[in-house]
Amino acid sequence: MFVEAILIALWAGIIGIDLYNGLTHIHRPLVTGLVVGLILGDVTTGLIVGGTLELIWMGMVPLAGAQPPNVVIGGVIGTAFGIIAGQDPNVAVGVAIPFAVAVQGLITLFFTIFAPVMHKADKFALDANYKGIERINYLGLVILFFFNAIIAFLPIYFGAQSAANLVESVPEWIINGLSIAGGIMPAIGFAMLLRIMMKVEYVMFFIVGFVLAAYLEMPILAIALIGLAIALYDFNQNKNKQGPAPREEEITDGI
Amino acid sequence: MESNGYKYEDTTEATELNSKQLRHLAWRSLLLQASFNYERMQAAGWLYSILPGLRHIHKDKKDLSKSMKDHMEFFNTHPFLVTFIMGIILAMEQKKEDREAIRGIKVATMGPLGGIGDAMFFLTLLPITASIGASLAVEGNVLGPFVFLIMFNVIHFGVRFGLMGYGYRTGVKAIAKLKEGTKHVSRAASIVGLTVVGGLIATYVSFNIDYAWVSGEAELNVQTDILDQIMPALLPLAYTLLVYWLLKKGRSPIALIGLTVVVGLLGSFLGVM
């Protein structure tokens, strides 16, 4: 079982990278089913379980930062368990989902812990040190690889069922809380943008954008087009004046 | 932290990027999310993707440093459509456009393209191709995964590489027209950018209270009966402005990320979120 577990771990590491980088979608359970099936010597079962998991994950896509249960670990553990235990695909799903949810919680933590590295990146940018910027990105890839490889290896080597029990012993409120935090997290990025861009005379446009989304529930593209219409009007007004650049431009709020 | 526009050390326009260079950048864009994190999201990966282009454009080290620093700011868009923004931004960098205009265009385009990309690829292309592949696979047909991968990636890579050149040529042409009055362009870009950010907060920050007072027959749901009645997306806006205020007070983004994790855990533990 050791060699098989290592091979599956390698695959999990590679597709763990593909989930965020490359995005060729070899990380989908459909493909993982075939590969894990090949490794464990039962391609047909692998395909069937993989196909079943694929249909379950179909509606769970990463939209705008909201993270669905981790498709990489879900697919790998699900198919491996389905083949090794000879279980019905739906039972494999039952084992795969708790893992996938727990792993996504860990990924939320990873995305949080990786934030301080950005200050190192700021320093590299200031020094025009392009090699440093590249190294930081490669570091992210290496961590993603080992993170996924190790998480896939352990349960397959030690038995998926006992590992599933372990996962279920983590209090639900922790996993749930991490997922709530993940939903709020975009606020930080938007606040940082505001800190850079916001000036007193732009507050009205910010309000317009917010109201269009919050009350009228307009899609972002529509809001951008309205913003564009306002901007074009403003632009033409300023151009017709033919004066020097607007003076308010020099008033900066905060920065 | 400049309040006045940055003056380039070297104001001469750089030579155009050729199609081989643009292809190289499109390949690099595959690593857009390599250093993804909650503080800047794709920023370092974005800088990684355009970096050879910036080095070609900014021969002066101070200009390069300023440009790299700017591109470390928060960035998040759809990972396939990002090449379109890369093309436009590199065209602006090449023309040595005003730095605030570059920032404004970047922020104004990332949100809408993020939404369009999700709808096109994750909600349309992926379900269609994956369900075709899965329907073959559940019958034990080994072609299933291959059919899926080929269909998906022909479109994926077609879009990714096609938009790189298209964005760049569009950018070069559009800027030539707008050459006069870059201050006005910056202002226009900032207007679109901030309108979009206002919309993004209401759309993508998910902060809800899940708690109801029950007394006999009556039930009062805090989110739908109180908060939403005051203003929809009240908590996302309030929390973002709180973070904005704390940032201005000099709190580090890391501390604020930590605060957010605590809020989530506490809300979950108390069962109110």
Side-chain angles (χ1 to χ4, degrees):
Chain A
M1 206 53 217
F2 183 73
V3 177
E4 284 92 339
I6 287 285
L7 286 174
I8 291 174
L10 274 178
W11 176 252
I14 292 166
I15 64 176
I17 292 176
D18 188 72
L19 176 61
Y20 295 105
N21 303 277
L23 294 150
T24 58
H25 281 62
I26 53 172
H27 63 261
R28 298 301 298 186
L30 177 57
V31 185
T32 288
L34 172 64
V35 175
V36 172
L38 277 171
I39 294 170
L40 294 175
D42 187 349
V43 172
T44 310
T45 309
L47 282 169
I48 294 170
V49 179
T52 310
L53 290 168
E54 181 63 51
L55 294 170
I56 289 168
W57 252 276
M58 194 158 290
M60 302 195 247
V61 285
L63 291 181
Q67 297 292 332
N70 188 274
V71 67
V72 168
I73 295 301
V76 168
I77 305 281
T79 0
F81 183 72
I83 294 173
I84 294 168
Q87 291 284 0
D88 182 76
N90 288 328
V91 179
V93 171
V95 175
I97 296 276
F99 270 105
V101 172
V103 167
Q104 205 53 51
L106 288 178
I107 290 204
T108 304
L109 275 185
F110 167 58
F111 287 162
T112 306
I113 294 165
F114 210 68
V117 180
M118 291 300 105
H119 299 264
K120 194 78 190 151
D122 279 340
K123 180 125 194 356
F124 287 145
L126 199 62
D127 299 338
N129 178 352
Y130 61 93
K131 288 232 171 74
I133 296 290
E134 296 184 337
R135 275 201 303 274
I136 281 178
N137 284 286
Y138 299 144
L139 172 70
L141 296 183
V142 171
I143 295 174
L144 269 182
F145 177 88
F146 283 105
F147 175 80
N148 284 283
I150 291 167
I151 287 180
F153 177 83
L154 294 176
I156 290 170
Y157 188 64
F158 292 107
Q161 194 55 60
S162 55
N165 294 340
L166 183 76
V167 166
E168 275 164 9
S169 72
V170 175
E172 200 183 331
W173 69 267
I174 291 186
I175 290 170
N176 196 13
L178 287 176
S179 140
I180 293 170
I184 306 175
M185 219 58 100
I188 312 255
F190 298 145
M192 293 181 69
L193 275 181
L194 287 181
R195 178 153 154 67
I196 296 162
M197 300 179 69
M198 186 61 99
K199 295 178 184 176
V200 178
E201 79 262 26
Y202 293 150
V203 171
M204 53 186 162
F205 307 112
F206 173 77
I207 294 172
V208 167
F210 178 81
V211 167
L212 292 176
Y215 284 90
L216 301 180
E217 293 177 7
M218 278 194 181
I220 295 294
L221 180 60
I223 295 170
L225 288 173
I226 290 173
L228 182 65
I230 301 172
L232 285 174
Y233 177 78
D234 182 86
F235 181 76
N236 285 324
Q237 290 289 309
N238 283 328
K239 221 166 87 178
N240 293 341
K241 271 186 232 148
Q242 284 297 351
R247 204 187 58 80
E248 324 88 285
E249 203 67 43
E250 282 147 32
I251 305 165
T252 306
D253 181 31
I255 41 170
Chain B
M1 305 284 150
E2 293 80 2
S3 51
N4 294 313
Y6 175 79
K7 300 271 184 295
Y8 288 100
E9 299 287 321
D10 178 1
T11 48
T12 47
E13 287 182 17
T15 53
E16 287 202 7
L17 296 161
N18 61 38
S19 51
K20 194 172 156 228
Q21 286 171 305
L22 292 176
R23 267 202 308 280
H24 175 61
L25 299 179
W27 279 115
R28 285 174 78 99
S29 74
L30 289 172
L31 297 194
L32 178 69
Q33 308 189 99
S35 50
F36 189 91
N37 62 85
Y38 283 128
E39 188 184 322
R40 315 280 176 87
M41 296 211 166
Q42 302 162 341
W46 155 262
L47 176 56
Y48 173 88
S49 305
I50 58 170
L51 201 42
L54 293 183
R55 290 176 64 211
H56 169 92
I57 290 162
H58 298 297
K59 302 291 187 212
D60 181 87
K61 196 178 168 209
K62 209 166 152 240
D63 288 348
L64 180 61
S65 152
K66 171 68 183 161
S67 169
M68 285 174 70
K69 191 93 186 36
D70 282 359
H71 287 299
M72 272 305 299
E73 285 162 9
F74 177 89
F75 183 79
N76 199 40
T77 191
H78 192 275
F80 295 177
L81 301 180
V82 65
T83 49
F84 183 70
I85 309 180
M86 289 168 68
I88 290 181
I89 293 301
L90 285 167
M92 295 181 80
E93 293 273 357
Q94 181 202 324
K95 303 276 181 190
K96 304 286 167 80
E97 282 289 322
D98 182 72
R99 301 262 14 133
E100 282 187 29
I102 294 179
R103 172 186 294 135
I105 294 289
K106 205 171 79 168
V107 174
T109 47
M110 68 183 194
L113 283 183
I116 295 170
D118 283 345
M120 273 170 59
F121 299 107
F122 293 150
L123 299 178
T124 311
L125 179 64
L126 179 62
I128 291 172
T129 53
S131 57
I132 295 171
S135 66
L136 291 170
V138 289
E139 313 216 317
N141 189 332
V142 76
L143 284 179
F146 295 101
V147 168
F148 160 65
L149 284 179
I150 291 167
M151 285 196 303
F152 186 86
N153 282 305
V154 164
I155 297 175
H156 163 202
F157 282 95
V159 167
R160 191 187 281 274
F161 282 80
L163 283 181
M164 183 80 228
Y166 179 70
Y168 184 66
R169 284 188 300 274
T170 311
V172 171
K173 257 187 273 165
I175 294 159
K177 278 191 209 141
L178 296 173
K179 199 62 199 154
E180 73 278 16
T182 47
K183 276 285 176 197
H184 297 316
V185 177
S186 310
R187 181 179 157 84
S190 297
I191 289 174
V192 185
L194 279 161
T195 313
V196 169
V197 172
L200 288 173
I201 291 169
T203 310
Y204 290 134
V205 180
S206 140
F207 195 150
N208 293 303
I209 299 294
D210 181 16
Y211 184 75
W213 275 296
V214 184
S215 72
E217 296 278 293
E219 189 184 304
L220 192 62
N221 184 305
V222 176
Q223 183 66 43
T224 54
D225 295 334
I226 303 176
L227 294 173
D228 286 349
Q229 296 304 317
I230 300 171
M231 185 167 85
L234 175 64
L235 288 178
L237 180 66
Y239 194 76
T240 309
L241 292 180
L242 172 73
V243 173
Y244 170 67
W245 181 71
L246 290 170
L247 282 170
K248 280 182 74 168
K249 286 259 160 194
R251 295 296 155 87
S252 83
I254 312 287
L256 298 170
I257 289 171
L259 173 72
T260 308
V261 172
V262 171
V263 168
L265 288 175
L266 211 62
S268 172
F269 183 72
L270 300 175
V272 293
M273 282 165 81

Short mmCIF file of all heavy atoms in Angstrom, two decimals, chain A residues 83-112:
data_model
loop_
_atom_site.label_atom_id
_atom_site.label_comp_id
_atom_site.label_asym_id
_atom_site.label_seq_id
_atom_site.Cartn_x
_atom_site.Cartn_y
_atom_site.Cartn_z
N ILE A 83 -12.54 2.42 -4.16
CA ILE A 83 -11.86 1.26 -4.76
C ILE A 83 -11.35 0.31 -3.67
O ILE A 83 -11.59 -0.89 -3.72
CB ILE A 83 -10.69 1.72 -5.65
CG1 ILE A 83 -11.23 2.50 -6.86
CG2 ILE A 83 -9.87 0.52 -6.13
CD1 ILE A 83 -10.16 3.13 -7.72
N ILE A 84 -10.67 0.86 -2.66
CA ILE A 84 -10.04 0.00 -1.64
C ILE A 84 -11.12 -0.74 -0.84
O ILE A 84 -11.03 -1.95 -0.64
CB ILE A 84 -9.17 0.86 -0.68
CG1 ILE A 84 -7.99 1.45 -1.44
CG2 ILE A 84 -8.67 -0.02 0.48
CD1 ILE A 84 -7.24 2.51 -0.67
N ALA A 85 -12.14 -0.02 -0.39
CA ALA A 85 -13.15 -0.65 0.45
C ALA A 85 -14.22 -1.34 -0.38
O ALA A 85 -15.09 -2.02 0.16
CB ALA A 85 -13.78 0.40 1.36
N GLY A 86 -14.15 -1.16 -1.70
CA GLY A 86 -15.15 -1.79 -2.54
C GLY A 86 -16.56 -1.31 -2.22
O GLY A 86 -17.52 -2.07 -2.25
N GLN A 87 -16.65 -0.03 -1.88
CA GLN A 87 -17.94 0.51 -1.44
C GLN A 87 -18.74 1.10 -2.59
O GLN A 87 -18.20 1.46 -3.63
CB GLN A 87 -17.72 1.59 -0.38
CG GLN A 87 -17.20 1.08 0.94
CD GLN A 87 -18.27 0.39 1.76
OE1 GLN A 87 -19.43 0.30 1.33
NE2 GLN A 87 -17.91 -0.14 2.91
N ASP A 88 -19.99 1.21 -2.38
CA ASP A 88 -20.88 1.90 -3.29
C ASP A 88 -20.42 3.36 -3.43
O ASP A 88 -19.98 3.96 -2.46
CB ASP A 88 -22.29 1.85 -2.65
CG ASP A 88 -23.31 2.51 -3.53
OD1 ASP A 88 -23.70 1.86 -4.53
OD2 ASP A 88 -23.69 3.66 -3.25
N PRO A 89 -20.47 3.94 -4.66
CA PRO A 89 -20.01 5.31 -4.85
C PRO A 89 -20.60 6.29 -3.84
O PRO A 89 -19.91 7.21 -3.38
CB PRO A 89 -20.48 5.64 -6.27
CG PRO A 89 -20.55 4.33 -6.95
CD PRO A 89 -20.91 3.31 -5.90
N ASN A 90 -21.86 6.09 -3.46
CA ASN A 90 -22.48 7.05 -2.54
C ASN A 90 -21.89 7.01 -1.15
O ASN A 90 -21.86 8.01 -0.44
CB ASN A 90 -23.99 6.82 -2.48
CG ASN A 90 -24.65 7.27 -3.77
OD1 ASN A 90 -24.18 8.22 -4.40
ND2 ASN A 90 -25.69 6.57 -4.17
N VAL A 91 -21.41 5.83 -0.74
CA VAL A 91 -20.73 5.74 0.55
C VAL A 91 -19.39 6.46 0.46
O VAL A 91 -18.99 7.19 1.37
CB VAL A 91 -20.52 4.27 0.96
CG1 VAL A 91 -19.79 4.19 2.29
CG2 VAL A 91 -21.85 3.55 1.03
N ALA A 92 -18.72 6.29 -0.67
CA ALA A 92 -17.44 6.98 -0.88
C ALA A 92 -17.65 8.49 -0.77
O ALA A 92 -16.82 9.19 -0.19
CB ALA A 92 -16.88 6.62 -2.26
N VAL A 93 -18.78 8.95 -1.27
CA VAL A 93 -19.09 10.38 -1.17
C VAL A 93 -19.20 10.80 0.29
O VAL A 93 -18.65 11.82 0.71
CB VAL A 93 -20.41 10.69 -1.91
CG1 VAL A 93 -20.86 12.12 -1.63
CG2 VAL A 93 -20.24 10.48 -3.40
N GLY A 94 -19.89 9.97 1.07
CA GLY A 94 -20.06 10.26 2.49
C GLY A 94 -18.75 10.39 3.23
O GLY A 94 -18.61 11.19 4.15
N VAL A 95 -17.76 9.59 2.83
CA VAL A 95 -16.44 9.68 3.46
C VAL A 95 -15.69 10.91 2.94
O VAL A 95 -15.00 11.59 3.69
CB VAL A 95 -15.62 8.40 3.18
CG1 VAL A 95 -14.21 8.54 3.71
CG2 VAL A 95 -16.30 7.20 3.81
N ALA A 96 -15.86 11.17 1.64
CA ALA A 96 -15.07 12.24 1.00
C ALA A 96 -15.47 13.63 1.50
O ALA A 96 -14.61 14.49 1.70
CB ALA A 96 -15.22 12.16 -0.52
N ILE A 97 -16.77 13.85 1.72
CA ILE A 97 -17.24 15.21 2.01
C ILE A 97 -16.65 15.79 3.32
O ILE A 97 -16.14 16.91 3.31
CB ILE A 97 -18.78 15.28 2.03
CG1 ILE A 97 -19.34 14.95 0.63
CG2 ILE A 97 -19.28 16.63 2.52
CD1 ILE A 97 -19.39 16.10 -0.33
N PRO A 98 -16.68 15.04 4.46
CA PRO A 98 -16.10 15.62 5.69
C PRO A 98 -14.64 16.02 5.51
O PRO A 98 -14.22 17.10 5.96
CB PRO A 98 -16.23 14.52 6.73
CG PRO A 98 -17.12 13.50 6.16
CD PRO A 98 -17.23 13.71 4.70
N PHE A 99 -13.87 15.17 4.80
CA PHE A 99 -12.48 15.51 4.50
C PHE A 99 -12.39 16.80 3.72
O PHE A 99 -11.61 17.69 4.04
CB PHE A 99 -11.85 14.42 3.63
CG PHE A 99 -11.22 13.34 4.41
CD1 PHE A 99 -11.84 12.10 4.53
CD2 PHE A 99 -10.01 13.54 5.03
CE1 PHE A 99 -11.26 11.10 5.26
CE2 PHE A 99 -9.42 12.54 5.76
CZ PHE A 99 -10.05 11.32 5.87
N ALA A 100 -13.21 16.86 2.68
CA ALA A 100 -13.14 18.00 1.76
C ALA A 100 -13.48 19.29 2.50
O ALA A 100 -12.84 20.32 2.28
CB ALA A 100 -14.09 17.78 0.59
N VAL A 101 -14.46 19.23 3.40
CA VAL A 101 -14.84 20.43 4.16
C VAL A 101 -13.72 20.83 5.11
O VAL A 101 -13.34 22.00 5.19
CB VAL A 101 -16.16 20.19 4.93
CG1 VAL A 101 -16.46 21.35 5.85
CG2 VAL A 101 -17.31 19.97 3.95
N ALA A 102 -13.15 19.84 5.81
CA ALA A 102 -12.07 20.13 6.76
C ALA A 102 -10.86 20.72 6.05
O ALA A 102 -10.25 21.68 6.53
CB ALA A 102 -11.69 18.86 7.52
N VAL A 103 -10.51 20.14 4.88
CA VAL A 103 -9.34 20.62 4.15
C VAL A 103 -9.54 22.05 3.68
O VAL A 103 -8.62 22.86 3.73
CB VAL A 103 -9.03 19.69 2.96
CG1 VAL A 103 -8.04 20.33 2.01
CG2 VAL A 103 -8.49 18.37 3.47
N GLN A 104 -10.78 22.38 3.28
CA GLN A 104 -11.01 23.75 2.84
C GLN A 104 -10.82 24.73 4.00
O GLN A 104 -10.34 25.84 3.82
CB GLN A 104 -12.40 23.89 2.23
CG GLN A 104 -12.50 25.03 1.24
CD GLN A 104 -11.41 24.97 0.17
OE1 GLN A 104 -11.21 23.94 -0.46
NE2 GLN A 104 -10.68 26.06 0.00
N GLY A 105 -11.19 24.27 5.21
CA GLY A 105 -10.92 25.09 6.40
C GLY A 105 -9.43 25.34 6.56
O GLY A 105 -8.99 26.47 6.82
N LEU A 106 -8.64 24.30 6.35
CA LEU A 106 -7.18 24.45 6.45
C LEU A 106 -6.66 25.40 5.38
O LEU A 106 -5.72 26.17 5.62
CB LEU A 106 -6.51 23.09 6.30
CG LEU A 106 -6.66 22.14 7.50
CD1 LEU A 106 -5.97 20.81 7.20
CD2 LEU A 106 -6.06 22.76 8.74
N ILE A 107 -7.26 25.34 4.18
CA ILE A 107 -6.80 26.22 3.10
C ILE A 107 -7.11 27.67 3.45
O ILE A 107 -6.30 28.57 3.19
CB ILE A 107 -7.42 25.79 1.75
CG1 ILE A 107 -6.77 24.46 1.35
CG2 ILE A 107 -7.25 26.87 0.70
CD1 ILE A 107 -6.77 24.13 -0.11
N THR A 108 -8.26 27.92 4.08
CA THR A 108 -8.57 29.27 4.56
C THR A 108 -7.47 29.75 5.51
O THR A 108 -7.00 30.89 5.40
CB THR A 108 -9.92 29.29 5.30
OG1 THR A 108 -10.92 28.78 4.43
CG2 THR A 108 -10.29 30.69 5.74
N LEU A 109 -7.05 28.84 6.40
CA LEU A 109 -5.96 29.19 7.31
C LEU A 109 -4.68 29.51 6.55
O LEU A 109 -3.97 30.47 6.86
CB LEU A 109 -5.69 28.04 8.27
CG LEU A 109 -6.56 27.97 9.52
CD1 LEU A 109 -6.10 26.83 10.41
CD2 LEU A 109 -6.48 29.29 10.28
N PHE A 110 -4.37 28.67 5.54
CA PHE A 110 -3.15 28.88 4.75
C PHE A 110 -3.17 30.24 4.06
O PHE A 110 -2.18 30.98 4.07
CB PHE A 110 -3.00 27.74 3.73
CG PHE A 110 -1.96 28.00 2.67
CD1 PHE A 110 -0.65 28.26 3.02
CD2 PHE A 110 -2.31 27.99 1.32
CE1 PHE A 110 0.31 28.51 2.04
CE2 PHE A 110 -1.36 28.24 0.35
CZ PHE A 110 -0.06 28.51 0.71
N PHE A 111 -4.33 30.60 3.47
CA PHE A 111 -4.44 31.89 2.80
C PHE A 111 -4.29 33.04 3.80
O PHE A 111 -3.92 34.14 3.45
CB PHE A 111 -5.79 32.02 2.08
CG PHE A 111 -5.89 31.17 0.84
CD1 PHE A 111 -7.13 30.86 0.29
CD2 PHE A 111 -4.76 30.68 0.21
CE1 PHE A 111 -7.23 30.09 -0.86
CE2 PHE A 111 -4.85 29.90 -0.94
CZ PHE A 111 -6.10 29.61 -1.48
N THR A 112 -4.64 32.77 5.06
CA THR A 112 -4.48 33.78 6.10
C THR A 112 -3.03 33.90 6.51
O THR A 112 -2.48 34.99 6.60
CB THR A 112 -5.34 33.40 7.32
OG1 THR A 112 -6.68 33.19 6.88
CG2 THR A 112 -5.31 34.48 8.38
#
